[in-house]
Amino acid sequence: MNELFDLIVHGGQVVLPDRVAYMDIGILDGRIIAVAETLSSPDHSTCQKISAEGKYVLPGAVDVHVHFNEPGLGSWEGFTTGSAALAKGGCTVYIDMPLNGRPPTVTREALKLKLLAAQGRSFVDYALWGGLVPGNLDQLRSLGEAGVSGFKAFMSDPGGEGEDIFREADDWTLYEGMRIIAEFGGVLALHAESEPLVSRLTEKSRHAGKHSAMDYAASRPIVAELEAVHRALFYAEQTGCALHFVHISSPQAVEAIDQAKRQGLDVTVETCPHYLVLTADEMESLGPLAKCAPPLRSSAELQGLWEAIAAGKIDLIASDHSPCPPEMKATTNWFEAWGGISGAQSTLELMIAEGYVKRGIGLHVLSKLMAENPAKRFGLSRKGVIGVGYDADLAIVEIGKGYTLTADQLRYRHPHSPYIGRVFPCRVTSTMLRGHLIYDADNAQSAVPACLGKWIPKQSGTAAGSDHSV
């Protein structure tokens, strides 16, 4: 093939939707215009070549669940530091959650403030979630028209103090919100834990003076996740609303969602790397760095989630990167510590290490979970696939040469993570966004690249879950 390219990535094993094969990737103006065994350009003076020999080339990951906390809480994490960490981890687009900003993204005005905070400050492309909370039902359609990717609601108390915080949706808000969102073809993402169960168990534990890691885990049992999942599925059946369940922690909940999917409901399920590599037994040794909600589960649940992945019952993997200043983790009382794991930089490497190297799951299968499926579900039509017409968003990965993660390698605003000290048998060596090199491990100390990230608004009228492949 002898087309005109401005960039060719050559010599690597390319992760395609259905297989891995030695391919060259031809790029022009930030788009992939050819994928073939051998490519060359007639104009060698203007065509740049990047070698991927001995490495794997994956689609840039699509992380649909991060908390960058701007505007208002950039001291926790911001668009610049958070997106820099994603770029280093091989992720080229993310969807930022609506809750921890001040104000939270529950009105069109708040969305404008979020967009202003992000403009020119993200290393990778981004989309934004809107929120469903008590009192903002009249804002949902406007937010949808403004381009949010979907809506996030909590079925349990998300925590926080002050008047301007994101609150859990009561049953009326949840049901009526689903009905409205269904009318314009949106999708609702749910944190599914039963507030009545969780709050009573938490109160009981605190009253007894119990506040250890295992006490916290016991206050948020699998039954609380299952009850909320079943209730939400029932409401979805009544309203026709498309659902996406975030950070599902148990194979039991995955089975319930999969059954609903087979019965015709438009529903997808996400899990997170921490539920696939960490267990409740490690909570005590790791401390509150490993606190999240739902909590880490047993090794049996972890194994069950991997079996669900192998069976095709989990749709996507996202980080749920939920950072905070270190002092908010500095307590032995697990009920008082901030709940959230900082892990977005490590998602791709964790899944290659645990899924491909350790368990033999194909890279094309893992890539579908981390790139193609999330891009399709949330209308990111040119993302998630190495194929003609897609953005040249690429993660080049070396497998077989390990490294140990240290705090100074993290690009978060606060460099703490439960994965510090973990030995990885792989590493992202470079990341490309629309054909631009935004991370290069071999030149990590060179000039910081420009913040090239662009907002990708969801097109008004685009149905949730429809096929957006080009």
Side-chain angles (χ1 to χ4, degrees):
M1 188 173 291
N2 203 28
E3 295 187 52
L4 183 64
F5 309 108
D6 51 33
L7 176 65
I8 295 174
V9 178
H10 69 93
Q13 295 193 62
V14 176
V15 179
L16 301 168
D18 59 348
R19 69 193 191 283
V20 179
Y22 283 98
M23 291 282 177
D24 287 356
I25 303 168
I27 299 165
L28 181 66
D29 296 330
R31 294 274 187 88
I32 298 170
I33 64 168
V35 181
E37 289 186 7
T38 304
L39 293 174
S40 61
S41 177
D43 190 347
H44 298 288
S45 64
T46 60
C47 181
Q48 180 185 3
K49 280 198 170 185
I50 292 181
S51 174
E53 291 183 8
K55 299 175 183 178
Y56 293 84
V57 185
L58 289 83
V62 177
D63 193 337
V64 302
H65 193 156
V66 302
H67 300 266
F68 288 167
N69 306 323
E70 290 193 281
L73 288 177
S75 60
W76 291 25
E77 184 79 281
F79 287 108
T80 301
T81 53
S83 66
L86 288 174
K88 186 172 182 178
C91 178
T92 51
V93 60
Y94 59 90
I95 310 182
D96 184 52
M97 283 292 174
L99 59 146
N100 290 336
R102 296 293 184 268
T105 313
V106 296
T107 66
R108 195 155 182 165
E109 285 303 312
L111 176 65
K112 291 178 182 178
L113 293 173
K114 172 84 76 171
L115 287 169
L116 284 172
Q119 187 174 13
R121 299 183 57 237
S122 180
F123 287 101
V124 304
D125 288 346
Y126 56 94
L128 301 174
W129 288 97
L132 168 62
V133 296
N136 87 321
L137 292 172
D138 61 341
Q139 295 288 324
L140 300 179
R141 186 175 295 276
S142 178
L143 283 165
E145 291 171 350
V148 297
S149 295
F151 299 86
K152 171 70 177 293
F154 279 75
M155 298 176 74
S156 62
D157 183 2
E161 298 179 356
E163 294 182 3
D164 193 13
I165 64 170
F166 199 99
R167 301 188 184 278
E168 77 267 21
D170 57 87
D171 281 356
W172 165 251
T173 298
L174 192 61
Y175 176 80
E176 188 66 5
M178 284 190 190
R179 187 189 63 78
I180 295 169
I181 291 168
E183 288 180 350
F184 59 84
V187 60
L188 177 65
L190 286 173
H191 178 130
E193 288 185 290
S194 168
E195 176 59 21
L197 287 174
V198 167
S199 59
R200 288 298 295 272
L201 289 169
T202 298
E203 180 185 2
K204 181 180 178 181
S205 186
R206 284 179 156 173
H207 183 74
K210 297 180 178 181
H211 52 73
S212 71
M214 291 300 102
D215 296 326
Y216 170 73
S219 73
R220 308 184 88 98
I222 289 172
V223 67
E225 183 172 72
L226 277 171
E227 189 281 332
V229 164
H230 281 289
R231 179 157 38 103
L233 289 171
F234 175 70
Y235 288 172
E237 186 179 15
Q238 304 305 308
T239 62
C241 184
L243 290 186
H244 175 68
F245 286 98
V246 301
H247 55 51
I248 290 296
S249 66
S250 68
Q252 297 93 319
V254 172
E255 286 296 327
I257 297 164
D258 184 66
Q259 182 178 355
K261 189 186 304 180
R262 286 186 277 110
Q263 292 173 348
L265 286 189
D266 184 356
V267 56
T268 47
V269 57
E270 153 199 321
T271 194
C272 304
H274 40 273
Y275 300 120
L276 296 167
V277 303
L278 301 173
T279 69
D281 292 339
E282 297 170 273
M283 290 168 65
E284 291 282 10
S285 60
L286 290 169
L289 287 177
K291 180 183 176 180
C292 55
L296 301 178
R297 304 298 189 189
S298 72
S299 58
E301 266 74 53
L302 182 150
Q303 178 61 26
L305 290 176
W306 279 111
E307 291 171 0
I309 285 174
K313 296 179 179 180
I314 291 177
D315 297 289
L316 61 93
I317 294 170
S319 70
D320 189 11
H321 178 67
S322 185
C324 69
E327 57 268 23
M328 296 180 71
K329 293 282 192 179
T331 176
T332 58
N333 187 325
W334 273 68
F335 290 100
E336 294 180 354
W338 175 258
I341 286 178
S342 292
Q345 182 173 310
S346 301
T347 296
L348 184 62
E349 291 176 348
L350 281 168
M351 293 302 93
I352 291 174
E354 293 292 318
Y356 175 68
V357 176
K358 182 176 179 179
R359 299 174 184 270
I361 297 174
L363 287 176
H364 65 290
V365 175
L366 295 171
S367 179
K368 191 175 291 288
L369 295 170
M370 291 185 286
E372 182 179 353
N373 285 357
K376 283 186 175 181
R377 179 55 163 168
F378 298 106
L380 304 168
S381 59
R382 297 194 182 103
K383 304 294 186 180
V385 171
I386 296 177
V388 173
Y390 286 85
D391 284 353
D393 293 357
L394 306 173
I396 301 177
V397 179
E398 186 176 49
I399 300 177
K401 295 183 179 179
Y403 81 100
T404 301
L405 181 64
T406 58
D408 63 348
Q409 295 167 339
L410 296 174
R411 292 192 172 182
Y412 309 139
R413 173 73 175 80
H414 302 287
H416 58 76
S417 170
Y419 306 122
I420 290 174
R422 180 176 288 262
V423 177
F424 289 83
C426 58
R427 66 167 184 147
V428 175
T429 60
S430 55
T431 305
M432 302 181 69
L433 175 69
R434 289 179 271 108
H436 298 279
L437 194 64
I438 59 170
Y439 170 70
D440 182 2
D442 294 330
N443 296 287
Q445 303 304 317
S446 62
V448 177
C451 288
L452 301 175
K454 297 179 180 179
W455 178 41
I456 308 175
K458 184 177 179 181
Q459 297 302 308
S460 181
T462 302
S466 60
D467 188 353
H468 299 283
S469 58
V470 295

